[in-house]
Amino acid sequence: MLRKTNWSLLIFFAGLCAILLTSSCINGIFFPSDILNYFPLFSENSWRPPHNSLLADPVFQFEPWRWYIKDQLSSGIFPLWNDRNGLGVPFLANPQTALLFPLTIAYLLLPLGSGLLFIHLAKVFLFGFFTFLYLRVIKLGVRSSFFGVLATSSSAFFMTWLLWPHTNVSLFLPLLLFLVEKMRNAHNRVLLYVAFSVCTAFAFFGGHPETFFQVGLIVIAYTLFRFYKSWRILLNIVFFGFIGLSLAGIQLLPFVEYLFNSAEWVRRSNFVIHFLPLASVIQYFFPFTLGAPHLQYYKAFPGTNFQESAGGYVGIIPLILAFIAIVALRKNKLVVFWSVVGIIAFGISYAIPPISWITFLPIFENSANHRFVGILGFSAVVSASVILHSLLRRKALYSHTRFLLILIIGGIASLAVLLLPLLVSGIGLNPPQQFMSLLQMHILLQLLSTAGFFLSLLFLQRSRLLQFFLLLTFFFLQTGFLFWNYVPFTPRNEYYPSPNVVKKLQSLPKGTYVEVGNPSVKVDANILYNLRSVENYDALGIKEYKVLYDSSFPIKNHWDNIDQVSVESLKRFGIRYILSDYDLRLHPFALQKNVSMILPELTKERGYRVSFIPQQEILSGIRLLTANFNRKNTCTFSVSVIQKENEVFTTKHSCLDVRDKMYFYIPIPDIHLIPNQQYQIGIQSDADETNAIALWGGRDPFVQLYYKASESSVFRLLSRGKSTYLFEYPQGERITYSGKFRILTESPQKLVLRTENGNPAKMLIRIPQYPGWDILIDGHLTESSKSHVFLEFVVPPSEHIITVVYRPLSFTSGVLLSIVSFLFLVVLSLRVLVQSNVFSKLLGYLNKSFAPRKKIPLWQHAIVFLVGIFVSLTTYVVMVKILQISFAMPETTAINWYTVHGYPRQQDYFYFYTGFVYVAVVTSSLWILWLWIKRKH
Amino acid sequence: MDKKKALTHTITGFLIIAFLSFFGSGVIISPFYGEINFIDEGQFGGWIAHMLKGEHLYEDIYAAYGPLYIYPFYLLSKLFGPSVFLIRIVLIVFNVFLAVFIAWGIIRKLRLAWYFQLFTLAMLLIVPGYTMRQGTGLLTILLYVYALEKRAVGWNFLPGMTLAISYLISTEIGIFTSIIILLFVFYQFVVAKNIFDVFKRSLVMFIGLSIVFFLFYWWSASEGWFWPYISTISDDLRTYSSIDLPNGMNFPNPLVLYPRSFFFLPWVKFLVSKEMLLYWLFLFYIIFFFYLLAAIILRRKQKNTPLIFAISLFGFLLSMILVGRSGHFPFTLSPLFILFAYFLDLLVKKWKKTQSYGEKITSTVLVTLILLFSLRILLIYRPHFIKLLDVPQAVLSKKNNPSYIGNVFISSSQKKDIQTMQNFVWTNTKPTDTIFFLGNEPMMYLLVNRDNPSRFDLPEVANTLEKRLELLNALQKDKTEYIIYDTKSWDVDGVSNMQRLPEVMKYIRSSYEERTLGSYIIYSRKN
């Protein structure tokens, strides 16, 4: 057993080392930051469409959060709170930050490019490795296990969600199954229980509670399936599952607290259930039926997107094999179990009654059930691997099996050829010709590779190596080959570049900003730019804040961005800067607000005219909503103001200047309009059907007019880019207080102010009220007014020190829970090791290796010790001299010897601890080495 | 216990008391003789003065020590009336005698030769700094080791109680002791055959701990100072482990201090300097850990190894406070003296047993090293033995001391200073008036019998802006008539309170008039 374990460990570490080496060697960043080009602010001068338009969340959430973790930890702060979004939101409590996920360490330690690549390659490797362990423990051969590894780790679910925390969690599914399976025959299960707890905690730290719930369900079902007769083991597994949850308490408790205080909880309580459209089932066979986001053409099935609908795809081959397994191995309990799991997962994902009634149960009703397709794919792979193992073991396959296989292949091919064109036309698509060719190639590839696979399986049984190679190659063509470039490598200069407007914003005094109109520095990407946004995009959001936000900014656009702001709302939220796609000093007036559909293309033959009667006297801007996705964008178009067929004003633009589903604002020189006269906005293009852009609208295109205001504006223009304006609202302040105050220290979790006032006065600090925030006046706890969404309290007269600090009880209790669980698991593990005499053996081994054959006199020990001390002290001093480490003076208000002399105290701690440990370790090591040499001779 | 043992215990106890009563220990020379230490003795005086006026610890008084360390002074002052003499007696009887007695219990357990027992007792008595703060930590360790050896689980009740008491005497000692006990408990959980037995023992210990804490909670909460206590100790722990600590200096850097000379003598002086003794201390701890490592690897584990390990770890943890507060060096030495006795005993036994000259020389060198280190400590921290000759005269003489001093023989200049201040205060203020001493002289509150308007009897501890403003607010609110600064008062770490408290000084300069009275500067409130 020990040998086997070592073998696995060897593969494990060798794999990780290889990934580390690869990550260090490859240039470029394995990250879709080119998606920022989607926004006009980031592609003002040269537009290049992003490689994959669906990879937005990693750019706007996961990477900024990872960066925040690194930033905060390097400042010595454990990030419990994010002060850069929504005027402050819990950070650790948001599991998607993956703050405690073990692979996040790589991001902290490695250079940016290497860190990102390492994390994601390691995820693929680990998922494959754990699948291999599981398939081997259910007694499958190496070849069929490898097939399973390839199928799971290159499945659509894993590839398309690779940058999401979903895969951080799901990679633990096979490992947990492996541990449960191992428990069946293990003599001593304690270490397996401990490992089960640790894996459970790690799976939670992965950062996606919904996936964690789904993985948990499968593991529970599997445990029941395996141990329904052994209640004691079953109870132990459940108990250690809970211990695993306790181990994750450090994040679990803050998460639960955040969840129940979140806006999302309220939203999902209104029974929001997601299912996939049944038509998208075709993607189990041909995932590119409607194109794919990383290809030149992509359309989504209605109500979903590619990642969701193709998430269950594992290749046609495993599906066929799984089907054969159900038929041929119907007495195999494992196949039956996974088949049942697959059927249930299918029923839940596609709302097939009665299975879908499960979703009326608690938790299901608030969960993303359609992602059970990932489980469906996994179950198909396990069944497929089982039958493949069985088929590969047979010296000759029976003729009726061959016949059955050929029948199935033929049947699927015919169905595909017949159904696919029907489906494409049925959905009402009119894709470009190039895509149709690509689709044909795709179908051909799928069918040929399936045929190739089964032919190799049937006819190459004598040359096993060749057969294995061909099986994997044909299979790879259906999975890895299709998704190999789903996530792009982008050049370093595309990693969150700083446009001029952003640079300007960064250079201004600290203040909160809001986006109006088009997304600009989309939240939470603002974290990376050290900017503080009023918005938050963390999937939960503080309930009361969200309510106030929505009621204060009721006018939103199709991006769910604020489209118009009022001075009261800006003041309420203390917003100082506004990034807008239009000139805020003008009065907007929408001629047509509906943006539910894309109108027919704008070509030379097809222009649009929208009539209006002026609301005000001077017209200064026009705003359209454009569409250019899946298009060439090589045309030009013009926008005119027409009065009685006379063009009062015309402006011409390149189609490359517009962005998909983005507002296109055209500032125009002031045009004096005659009241009560009818005017028209005319939109024309020189494009033909092949290179045209389109406009969003309802019956008519969306057109918004901007009139010059008669009164002076409260907004001050600070900067203007080609597509974005930066305004200042000078009254927008984070803290409102009638007395004098000065901020002494400010960090995300702590704010210290010094106040001075003759009378008691209210202080409003725009940090949302949330459990854990304490207000201390001169060290004494003060209650915040419950009636306000933000922290509000009365400051007594005279001078005071106000400390506003975030120290949540949920975190403290979580830490305690985690420590207790950790100690429990450590004690348990060590007890097993002690009972199995591992330590005695180790000590015996040390004694045997180091204890001299004859007694060594004390003076010799003393001399070696002295030499050790001398060597270690000398080398330490030399290292200190060479490294010349510098220490910054910590921020403090204290006056003492250290601050008077400007001596950073941490310097002493550093040298003391490193010096003591270094001297002790080096001296002991030299002594042990000496003993070892002494014994050898 | 047989009669011989009981007699030995009684005689030793009596001798310790007699020694302490006449020759003193720790921070003072003798209860009868020696100048008043306005800071170390003085803080007890200041706190007593507050408490006798009905104020509560932590709520109205900023005290860095635990309540059980302060209350004996208060209770006895209530019984016998407050005086410097009483403070000294309590310091000796409660603080040092009990602590030395605990150390004696440990060295008895180690079964060392009588002369090494005497060596340890002498060092602990003579070198200042060993008090019940370390004593309760050592007592908890001793009781826990006893409990480990006993079969009955009830024994674990006592270390639980003493652990709680050690927290209530000194929080940091409580933390250090807890770390050691937790390590032992953890080890027991790992290796014990019967895990439920360990669980039972731990539970009993926890009950002991909880009972003391509960009683303390009941007492402090009923008087309304439980939460102020929690907030003060947490503030204390935070400030002392950060850059905000009020008193402390850097750890001496030998690369800066070493002599730029090729001669032998400057190097010897450097190596035995007060600063380098800190490094010697840690070298000794490395040796102890090395010894324990060797004992494990070479399987030379002895009966007392757990106790020695616990004391070594306790001493090491205690010594870590020197990083930042190197002036507390003597405070950390008590576990070292116990360990010295243990190793001296081992080395001498080895010397006697071996025939090899190499062994004898090594043992001799190590013994000499320990003795030289101890001697150097004595020379540094006890340079005024000669003054002990004055003790008999001091006991017998008539003192004519100012009020609140009692039967202590102090110098005429100190007497004069105290009288000057007492006369000034009693002439110019009413008993209900407050007064603020800007220097670090908390004893003055007891001597002039006036209350401090703020929590800070030692103004140096109010060194963060938050506390400075608290002090300022207290002075403003109370409209304190007189603020007094003794130009002779000690500036902690060379940073005067005038420098430490700029906001307070600004207020004093704008609202008070300044004049001098002897060595005092009197700030009188402007009308």
Side-chain angles (χ1 to χ4, degrees), chain B residues 15-59:
Chain B
L15 285 176
I16 294 170
I17 281 277
F19 182 90
L20 286 168
S21 302
F22 287 98
F23 304 113
S25 174
V27 291
I28 51 169
I29 294 169
S30 150
F32 301 103
Y33 176 83
E35 299 286 75
I36 299 167
N37 181 331
F38 278 84
I39 293 192
D40 292 330
E41 293 175 76
Q43 54 192 351
F44 293 102
W47 297 332
I48 291 168
H50 271 292
M51 293 162 83
L52 288 173
K53 287 182 172 61
E55 292 177 7
H56 289 140
L57 267 178
Y58 312 108
E59 193 183 11

Side-chain angles (χ1 to χ4, degrees), chain A residues 742 744 750 752 754-755 776-780 797-803 807 823 826-828 830-832 834-835 839-841 843-847 850-852 855-862 865 869 877 880-881 889-901 903-909 912-913 915-916 919-920 923-924 927-928 931, chain B residues 186 188-195 198 231 238-253 255 282-283 285-287 289-290 293-300 316 319-321 323-325 347 350 353 356-359 361-363 366 455 460 463-470 472-473 476 492-495 499-503:
Chain A
R742 188 160 65 90
L744 299 174
K750 193 176 180 184
V752 183
R754 186 179 173 172
T755 60
L776 297 124
I777 301 180
D778 300 328
H780 300 289
S798 178
E799 283 183 53
H800 296 284
I801 295 292
I802 313 286
T803 309
R807 39 186 193 190
L823 287 176
V826 169
V827 166
L828 218 56
L830 289 176
R831 275 186 72 80
V832 172
V834 167
Q835 279 163 7
F839 287 121
S840 308
K841 281 177 197 163
L843 273 179
Y845 174 77
L846 284 175
N847 192 257
F850 299 113
K855 204 178 170 194
I856 302 172
L858 177 68
W859 65 270
Q860 289 190 13
H861 287 289
F865 177 77
I869 290 281
V877 170
V880 165
K881 282 276 174 198
M889 194 67 192
E891 215 168 85
T892 177
T893 59
I895 300 173
N896 53 23
W897 184 91
Y898 288 100
T899 51
V900 167
H901 294 85
Y903 189 96
R905 191 185 176 193
Q906 72 272 27
Q907 180 175 322
D908 282 354
Y909 278 123
F912 174 76
Y913 290 118
F916 189 87
V919 170
T923 310
S924 311
W927 175 73
I928 289 172
L931 279 183
Chain B
F186 184 78
Q188 291 297 311
F189 266 115
V190 170
V191 298
K193 285 196 177 123
N194 183 355
I195 200 165
V198 185
S231 127
R238 212 171 33 245
T239 51
Y240 275 95
S241 55
S242 74
I243 189 101
D244 292 346
L245 81 172
N247 58 333
M249 292 163 81
N250 67 322
F251 200 75
N253 182 351
L255 298 178
F282 288 109
L283 179 68
Y285 279 113
I286 289 180
I287 294 174
F289 288 128
F290 184 76
L293 178 75
I296 292 167
I297 290 184
L298 303 178
R299 289 191 165 172
R300 306 269 196 274
F316 177 71
S319 307
M320 286 197 334
I321 66 164
V323 188
R325 281 181 284 164
L347 289 165
K350 189 160 193 70
K353 219 166 78 177
S356 153
Y357 279 111
E359 296 282 80
I361 291 168
T362 313
S363 300
L366 288 172
R455 293 196 299 152
E460 57 129 358
N463 71 325
T464 57
L465 183 61
E466 210 166 37
K467 290 182 195 142
R468 293 201 297 268
L469 291 183
E470 186 193 331
L472 176 65
N473 283 338
Q476 285 174 331
V492 176
D493 306 322
V495 183
Q499 197 176 352
R500 282 176 194 264
L501 311 167
E503 295 82 5

Side-chain angles (χ1 to χ4, degrees), chain A residues 89-90 257-267 269 536 540-550 768-770 789:
Chain A
V89 282
E257 184 184 58
Y258 190 20
L259 184 68
F260 289 120
N261 281 295
S262 71
E264 188 62 13
W265 183 253
V266 177
R267 193 181 75 83
S269 302
N536 171 39
L540 290 174
I542 299 172
K543 189 168 50 188
E544 288 79 11
Y545 180 86
K546 180 77 176 146
V547 170
L548 183 72
Y549 180 82
D550 287 341
Q769 297 238 23
Y770 186 79
V789 169

Side-chain angles (χ1 to χ4, degrees), chain A residues 476-538:
Chain A
F476 182 76
L477 289 173
Q478 291 193 354
T479 53
F481 178 72
L482 300 185
F483 298 109
W484 70 273
N485 64 342
Y486 193 79
V487 180
F489 276 93
T490 46
R492 246 159 226 280
N493 58 4
E494 282 192 15
Y495 179 80
Y496 298 93
S498 290
N500 288 333
V501 171
V502 172
K503 281 182 190 158
K504 175 74 185 170
L505 191 52
Q506 285 171 320
S507 69
L508 294 166
K510 254 188 183 177
T512 307
Y513 80 91
V514 66
E515 288 182 342
V516 175
N518 285 333
S520 307
V521 185
K522 178 105 172 77
V523 284
D524 290 343
N526 61 296
I527 292 176
L528 258 150
Y529 293 99
N530 266 322
L531 300 174
R532 195 180 278 154
S533 169
V534 73
E535 290 165 87
N536 171 39
Y537 183 44
D538 77 355

Side-chain angles (χ1 to χ4, degrees), chain A residues 817-832:
Chain A
L817 195 62
S818 295
I819 289 174
V820 171
S821 315
F822 176 75
L823 287 176
F824 173 71
L825 293 175
V826 169
V827 166
L828 218 56
S829 314
L830 289 176
R831 275 186 72 80
V832 172

